[in-house]
Amino acid sequence: MSSGRETKMRTPEGAGIDLSLWEKILNAVRSQHPSLNRLWFDQLVPCSFSNGVIQVQTQTPAQLSFCQTQCQQPFTQAAQAVTGRLVAVRFVCDNIPAGGVFNEGDQPHPLNPDYVFENFVTGPCNRLPHAASLAVAEQPGKAYNPLFIHGGVGLGKTHLLQAICQKVLERQGDARILYLSCDSFINQFMSAIESGDMNQFRYRYRQVDMLVIDDIHFLAGRDRTQEEFFHTFNTLYQNHKQIILSADCPPSEIPELEERLVSRFNWGLVARIDKPCYETRVAILHKKARIRGLHLNDDVVCYVAQKIDTNTRELEGAITKLQGMGMLNGGKIDLELAKAALGDNDTPEQKLITIQQILDIVTKFYNVRPADLQGKKRHKSIAFPRQICMFLARKYTRYSLEEIGRYFGGRDHTTVLHAVRTVGDNIKTDKEVASQIAQLESQLTNS
Ligand code: ADP
Ligand code: MG
C-alpha cells in the first residue's frame, strides 16, 4: 500500500499514520514477542502520529491496562525499527466507563483482558463455578450473594472473578466495582489505621456496587482486619450489593477465620473448581493457543494434555515454552519439539517441572508426609524440607512467591522469600545441604 490519502487515519489535528506502517509495527511485535501477541491486537487503532508519538486507541480499559503495563517497550522498539526514527508508542482509551474497576495504587484498571468468559473453557471440573459466575454477572446482588469460589492454584479462580467484573462493566458502564487481592485489603486497612483515616477507608469500601476480593484465605489469623471486613460485608450485604470471594479452600477450612465470617461466606453459593480432566485440558490448550494466534496440531495438544495434568497455569507455561522453542525452530511446532520441550528425551534443562513433582520428590527424600509440608507444623524436621520445596518451586516453576506460599501451608510471600534465601545461603556454607539439593535437582530434571 502506498501512503495515499485513504490509507491514513485522520485525527482532529490532521496528523495521520500510514496504516501499512502500522501493519509492519504490529508484525514486528508479533514476531519478536510471540508470547505477548494477542488476537485483539487487530482491534488496536493508531489514531495519530505527531511530535514523535504514535497514539494507539485500545477498545477497552482492560486492553489499555495490558498495553500500558506490558506493550509500551516492545511497540516502541518495533516502531523505531520500522520507521528508523526516534518515535514512541502511547496507548489511550476513549471508552473508560464512568464507574469502572478500582483498586489500590496507581493502576486504574487491574483487569486482564484475557480473563473474560469467552476465553474460559468449561468442563466437569468447573461447570458450577462458571455457571454461578455468569449468573452473578447477569444479576449482581440477586443470584448468589456472596459467591465464594475455591480451588487449588492455577485452576481459574482469578480468571472467573475478573470475567465477572468485565461482564458487569460491559452491561453497565457506570457500575462501581472494587476488585482487589486480600493482601491489598489488609494493607489498606493497616495504613488507614496508621494514618487515622478509617472513615475514608470505610466509605471507600461501603459505597461500591460490587466488592470482589481474590484469595480471601489470606485473612487467616488477621483478627482486626477480619473484624473490619465483617462490618464491610454486612453493610454491602444489607444493601444488596454483590460480594464475590475466592480462596484456596472452602470457608470452614480457612485457618483462624472467625466463625461469624465462615457462616456468612456460606450464605450464598460456595462452588469448587477442580483440576481439569484430559478433555478439558485439550480444549484449554486449543483455546490458549488461539488467543495467542498460534496454531497447534492435535497430536501436539494431546501430548501436552497427557503430560501435564496439574493445572491450567502449567498448561499455559507449556504453550509459552513451545512458542519460544518453535521460534528457534523456524516457527515449526511439531510433536518432536513438544517432546523435547516437555522432557521426553535427554534435554533435561528444557523440561517443565511441576510443583507436585517437587513435593513428591522432597517428601520421598526426607521421608515426610505431603500433608506436613503443606500444613502448619514448624518443627525443623518439617520446616527445612518445606523451605527446600519453596526454593525448588521458585527456581523451577513459574509460580509467584504468593502462590508458592499458599501451596505450602498458606504462608505469605515473605516466608517464601526467606526460605529461598536461607536455602541459597545454606548451599554455599553447608556441603551436606549442597549435596542434598544437587541430588534433588538431578532427580527433578531427570524424572
Ligand atoms: P487461580 O486464580 O485459581 O490460581 P488463574 O485464574 O490465575 O488461577 O488461572 C491460571 C491461568 O489458567 C490463567 O491464565 C487462566 O486464564 C487459565 N485458566 C484457568 N482455568 C481456565 C479455563 N477453564 N479456561 C481457560 N483458561 C483457564
Ligand atoms: Mg488467583
Side-chain angles (χ1 to χ4, degrees):
M1 238 187 281
S2 75
S3 56
R5 259 184 163 254
E6 325 67 60
T7 64
K8 290 202 173 181
M9 302 291 295
R10 291 276 158 201
T11 62
E13 309 90 60
I17 174 168
D18 190 327
L19 276 188
S20 67
L21 195 68
W22 176 246
E23 280 293 308
K24 281 187 195 139
I25 296 174
L26 208 49
N27 285 338
V29 172
R30 283 186 156 143
S31 64
Q32 277 157 33
H33 304 271
S35 65
L36 202 61
N37 185 22
R38 295 294 183 277
L39 272 193
W40 53 260
F41 280 0
D42 287 338
Q43 299 168 16
L44 296 174
V45 179
C47 52
S48 74
F49 185 5
S50 62
N51 298 327
V53 177
I54 302 176
Q55 275 218 15
V56 179
Q57 266 295 338
T58 57
Q59 299 305 307
T60 66
Q63 289 180 0
L64 177 67
S65 144
F66 181 90
C67 288
Q68 285 181 333
T69 53
Q70 308 198 41
C71 303
Q72 209 90 48
Q73 271 284 93
F75 272 83
T76 293
Q77 273 167 8
Q80 292 178 355
V82 169
T83 59
R85 291 166 53 188
L86 200 60
V87 295
V89 173
R90 207 166 78 86
F91 295 97
V92 294
C93 180
D94 279 348
N95 303 324
I96 302 279
V101 175
F102 315 95
N103 77 339
E104 78 295 347
D106 44 15
Q107 208 188 335
H109 193 283
L111 304 181
N112 183 329
D114 292 342
Y115 292 0
V116 290
F117 281 115
E118 292 71 27
N119 292 342
F120 193 83
V121 175
T122 55
C125 57
N126 59 26
R127 235 185 272 293
L128 176 65
H130 172 261
S133 299
L134 262 181
V136 163
E138 266 150 29
Q139 292 201 302
K142 300 212 174 70
Y144 308 101
N145 208 13
L147 173 61
F148 189 102
I149 297 178
H150 68 94
V153 181
L155 296 183
K157 301 182 295 295
T158 298
H159 188 136
L160 278 180
L161 259 48
Q162 296 201 8
I164 298 174
C165 295
Q166 311 208 44
K167 184 98 189 163
V168 168
L169 272 187
E170 215 177 276
R171 299 164 58 96
Q172 192 199 337
D174 62 354
R176 289 162 306 171
I177 303 175
L178 199 47
Y179 166 89
L180 74 171
S181 66
C182 187
D183 273 345
S184 303
F185 183 82
I186 295 171
N187 291 339
Q188 287 176 27
F189 174 66
M190 303 304 277
S191 47
I193 292 184
E194 257 168 45
S195 63
D197 252 350
M198 276 316 290
N199 281 341
Q200 205 193 348
F201 176 87
R202 293 198 172 122
Y203 178 75
R204 177 176 158 81
Y205 280 89
R206 296 181 193 177
Q207 50 96 39
V208 298
D209 297 320
M210 191 161 112
L211 177 64
V212 187
I213 301 193
D214 209 352
D215 294 330
I216 195 75
H217 52 270
F218 286 126
L219 276 187
R222 298 278 189 168
D223 294 349
R224 289 173 75 189
T225 318
Q226 285 185 24
E227 161 93 28
E228 182 61 32
F229 184 67
F230 174 76
H231 296 296
T232 305
F233 185 103
N234 288 344
T235 307
L236 292 175
Y237 187 85
Q238 277 154 17
N239 294 328
H240 308 285
K241 305 299 188 192
Q242 181 70 48
I243 299 162
I244 306 169
L245 307 168
S246 82
D248 64 357
C249 59
S252 60
E253 289 173 24
I254 299 178
E256 297 172 71
L257 182 68
E258 284 182 31
E259 196 43 49
R260 54 185 186 168
L261 280 178
V262 175
S263 91
R264 273 166 182 73
F265 292 174
N266 279 304
W267 275 355
L269 182 77
V270 175
R272 190 177 78 197
I273 308 194
D274 286 312
K275 279 188 192 173
C277 63
Y278 174 76
E279 286 76 13
T280 310
R281 295 201 297 277
V282 167
I284 290 175
L285 284 165
H286 276 303
K287 180 76 128 209
K288 290 279 168 196
R290 208 172 315 131
I291 292 171
R292 298 179 181 202
L294 185 73
H295 176 76
L296 292 180
N297 284 334
D298 283 345
D299 58 345
V300 172
V301 167
C302 293
Y303 173 76
V304 177
Q306 250 165 31
K307 194 84 186 163
I308 298 176
D309 62 0
T310 43
N311 67 44
T312 308
R313 175 95 34 94
E314 301 202 340
L315 289 175
E316 262 195 313
I319 294 189
T320 306
K321 184 152 219 174
L322 288 178
Q323 203 169 13
M325 286 177 69
M327 257 177 72
L328 301 176
N329 196 27
K332 203 169 104 207
I333 302 177
D334 54 15
L335 191 57
E336 203 183 327
L337 180 111
K339 284 186 174 166
L342 304 189
D344 240 20
N345 59 14
D346 48 13
T347 48
E349 70 283 1
Q350 291 170 336
K351 226 184 72 169
L352 194 82
I353 288 167
T354 67
I355 206 159
Q356 183 67 43
Q357 282 172 323
I358 294 175
L359 186 67
D360 289 345
I361 283 175
V362 173
T363 46
K364 225 193 256 158
F365 192 88
Y366 290 101
N367 199 19
V368 289
R369 295 182 311 144
D372 286 337
L373 295 189
Q374 294 188 287
K376 297 275 162 213
K377 289 192 187 160
R378 291 187 183 177
H379 190 269
K380 184 147 197 301
S381 64
I382 304 291
F384 189 61
R386 187 187 291 127
Q387 287 186 321
I388 289 182
C389 284
M390 292 176 174
F391 172 84
L392 294 172
R394 185 64 180 163
K395 184 161 172 189
Y396 289 100
T397 73
R398 291 158 31 96
Y399 290 109
S400 67
L401 294 170
E402 283 77 14
E403 288 166 333
I404 294 171
R406 200 184 316 155
Y407 193 83
F408 293 104
R411 291 171 163 78
D412 70 13
H413 68 279
T414 52
T415 309
V416 180
L417 204 57
H418 175 72
V420 172
R421 292 200 182 125
T422 307
V423 175
D425 290 346
N426 275 335
I427 290 176
K428 284 183 213 136
T429 54
D430 186 332
K431 277 205 185 106
E432 179 55 31
V433 173
S435 133
Q436 289 173 9
I437 300 283
Q439 288 176 56
L440 287 166
E441 289 191 329
S442 108
Q443 283 184 28
L444 256 189
T445 47
N446 293 318
S447 61

